[in-house]
Amino acid sequence: MSPLLGCIADDFTGATDLAAMLAGEGMRVVQHIGPAFADTPGADALVVALKSRTAPVEAAVAESVAALDRLREAGCRQFYFKYCSTFDSTPEGNIGPVADALLDRLGGGQAVVCPAAPVNGRTVYQGHLFVGDRLLSESGMRDHPLTPMRDPDLVRVLSAQTSGRVGLVPFEAVRQGAQGVSAALNDLTARFAVVDALTDDDLRAIGTAVADHPLVTGAAGLAMGLPDNFRRAGLLSTHDADIPPAAAGRTVILAGSCSPATLAQLDVLRGHIPVFDLDLENGVDADHALAWTRAQQEGAPLAIAASAPPEKVRRLQERWGRAAAGTLVEDTLATLAEELVGSGVRRLVVAGGETSGAVVTRLGVSSLRIGPEIDPGVPWTWSERDGEPLLLALKSGNFGAPDFFVKALVPPGRG
Ligand code: ADP
């Protein structure tokens, strides 16, 4: 049978977050890297991971439309555009232009927009995005190296990125459940409907209300209500999550996220295993990290981090420019991943969305199976490399409890 749900994620950790959500809801999920993928028998949902969040607008649109076309060809009947739960974007895009292009390709109509992820403290109220008890603009996203978010009003942020009308389905409608959401969507003439959501129940109600929408847009949370729509239609049965195979050797953590969560997780990790800090501003680069790695005890877990607080990030950006500084760091971590996997490492944990994209692309991984979660939104995934399993955990910078990296040191699977 053909897959049911075809998903397009604007970064790699977002893709695994969404894939884990769908797997947790009983779907068999395969994640593909990039839009040119082979047929995938037996999958209920396909997730295409793109690195389009901070790409030039035209490139992001072209890749997303190519992914949509391929997912349609594969037989998917509903489509999901996954972006970050902190709505990471710039005044030019890419959420608005990509959503516009996907909706046009699917024949127009209306799409909901809801980045809420209550499990990670992201809620939307009166169209405003909260991170925990702070507005988005007062969260760590204020100083994100690539997509600083300084306006919490999603209607306003999205309106700047699209010429389509953006409206709001307020919490008063959402609290009445799926019927309330449907009625409010029908009354709204807007092309994009930002929808409030505070809890998983709200997300499930919205999910039920959009059963017939060709395109749904959100963070991973909103997808939780979609599998039940297919079940109600008699198209889907429930499957247990897959267990990854055992992989020998040491675990290596590569951190390129500068989010407060990742910085705190690194601090906890330092009490447990050796951590090498890259310092590209002062010439401490991949070669130094590799020499350090070779000097460590065989088989013991290690971490290498570029992650740094805002003042240090700013210094590198002032020297190279924002985009070039990001690319320089991402290339360094991708080179390290390539060298480490080349020397036999088969379990890698990568922190940072863009960073994960750079690493997975450099490793030439083409698709990932989805295993159990380490923390919400961060599953172990695996692919095959030279006949052996390669396990990857791709963590969005903001995700995970303070002891995330410590938990990730425990190999998953059958043992
Ligand atoms: P997150 O998931 O937290 O958004 P990303 O990997 O998507 O993390 O983004 C972090 C960006 O910051 C990447 O482009 C990374 O290369 C860059 N970066 C990491 N460390 C530094 C540093 N020390 N100086 C400048 N930029 C950095």
Side-chain angles (χ1 to χ4, degrees):
M1 200 161 103
S2 298
L4 302 165
L5 187 65
C7 309
I8 301 162
D10 71 353
D11 84 340
F12 286 45
T13 49
T16 44
D17 179 17
L18 175 60
M21 167 62 70
L22 295 171
E25 293 294 323
M27 285 185 126
R28 288 171 304 193
V29 189
V30 174
Q31 179 174 330
H32 292 294
I33 311 303
F37 57 85
D39 282 338
T40 321
D44 303 314
L46 303 180
V47 179
V48 178
L50 301 179
K51 196 172 180 306
S52 54
R53 182 171 296 168
T54 57
V57 176
E58 305 72 42
V61 166
E63 264 191 64
S64 306
V65 169
L68 175 66
D69 289 349
R70 180 67 188 97
L71 289 166
R72 289 176 97 177
E73 192 183 272
C76 299
R77 21 183 114 195
Q78 187 177 38
F79 302 91
Y80 197 91
F81 172 35
K82 156 76 175 73
Y83 37 74
C84 190
S85 61
T86 41
F87 215 68
D88 299 16
S89 50
T90 68
E92 295 74 45
N94 291 332
I95 296 174
V98 168
D100 261 331
L102 297 178
L103 203 49
D104 282 345
R105 197 78 164 180
L106 289 166
Q110 190 182 55
V112 293
V113 173
C114 183
V119 69
N120 286 309
R122 273 58 148 175
T123 53
V124 182
Y125 183 64
Q126 304 302 349
H128 286 63
L129 181 53
F130 287 81
V131 176
D133 62 356
R134 301 280 98 190
L135 283 164
L136 173 68
S137 46
E138 293 174 27
S139 75
M141 284 306 297
R142 208 188 148 69
D143 294 313
H144 189 277
L146 304 174
T147 50
M149 298 300 292
R150 299 194 169 178
D151 185 354
D153 181 338
L154 294 176
V155 173
R156 196 162 53 203
V157 171
L158 186 58
S159 294
Q161 299 178 19
T162 169
S163 54
R165 264 202 65 210
V166 184
L168 174 68
V169 174
F171 188 65
E172 289 67 45
V174 177
R175 77 194 309 182
Q176 291 165 33
Q179 284 181 346
V181 176
S182 293
L185 288 171
N186 281 335
D187 289 348
L188 205 65
T189 50
R191 178 171 164 89
F192 294 110
V194 172
V195 188
D196 283 351
L198 303 183
T199 65
D200 285 355
D201 284 348
D202 298 336
L203 291 172
R204 287 186 193 277
I206 301 165
T208 305
V210 298
D212 295 328
H213 284 208
L215 179 69
V216 179
T217 89
L222 184 56
M224 76 174 69
L226 302 184
D228 273 346
N229 295 336
F230 294 115
R231 262 180 216 116
R232 276 190 287 270
L235 296 167
L236 177 69
S237 43
T238 297
H239 302 273
D240 288 336
D242 290 336
I243 305 287
R250 69 160 108 230
T251 300
V252 178
I253 294 168
L254 294 175
S257 165
C258 301
S259 71
T262 297
L263 295 174
Q265 288 157 350
L266 282 169
D267 281 346
V268 173
L269 184 68
R270 285 175 209 279
H272 292 261
I273 65 167
V275 179
F276 183 89
D277 289 295
L278 293 162
D279 184 359
L280 297 181
E281 191 190 350
N282 294 305
V284 181
D285 60 13
D287 288 341
H288 293 85
L290 287 170
W292 174 82
T293 303
R294 284 189 288 270
Q296 301 304 305
Q297 189 192 331
E298 203 180 320
L302 302 175
I304 302 173
S307 311
E311 38 320 333
K312 198 161 167 55
V313 170
R314 254 194 306 277
R315 282 204 301 275
L316 202 69
Q317 291 184 336
E318 272 159 19
R319 182 171 319 171
W320 297 97
R322 173 175 290 184
T327 307
L328 180 72
V329 178
E330 288 169 34
D331 281 349
T332 303
L333 290 165
T335 299
L336 285 168
E338 193 178 22
E339 293 286 334
L340 290 162
V341 169
S343 71
V345 171
R346 288 291 175 270
R347 274 198 310 278
L348 269 187
V349 180
V350 188
E354 297 292 331
T355 307
S356 295
V359 165
V360 169
T361 305
R362 181 74 71 86
L363 292 176
V365 173
S366 62
S367 72
L368 295 169
R369 306 264 312 267
I370 307 299
E373 286 176 308
I374 302 167
D375 263 337
V378 198
W380 276 108
T381 72
W382 74 100
S383 61
E384 214 177 87
R385 191 176 189 88
D386 305 329
E388 279 178 57
L390 170 64
L391 272 63
L392 293 167
L394 309 176
K395 187 187 88 77
S396 168
N398 282 313
F399 278 15
D403 63 349
F404 172 85
F405 288 136
V406 179
K407 284 188 282 197
L409 297 178
V410 179
R414 301 187 178 97

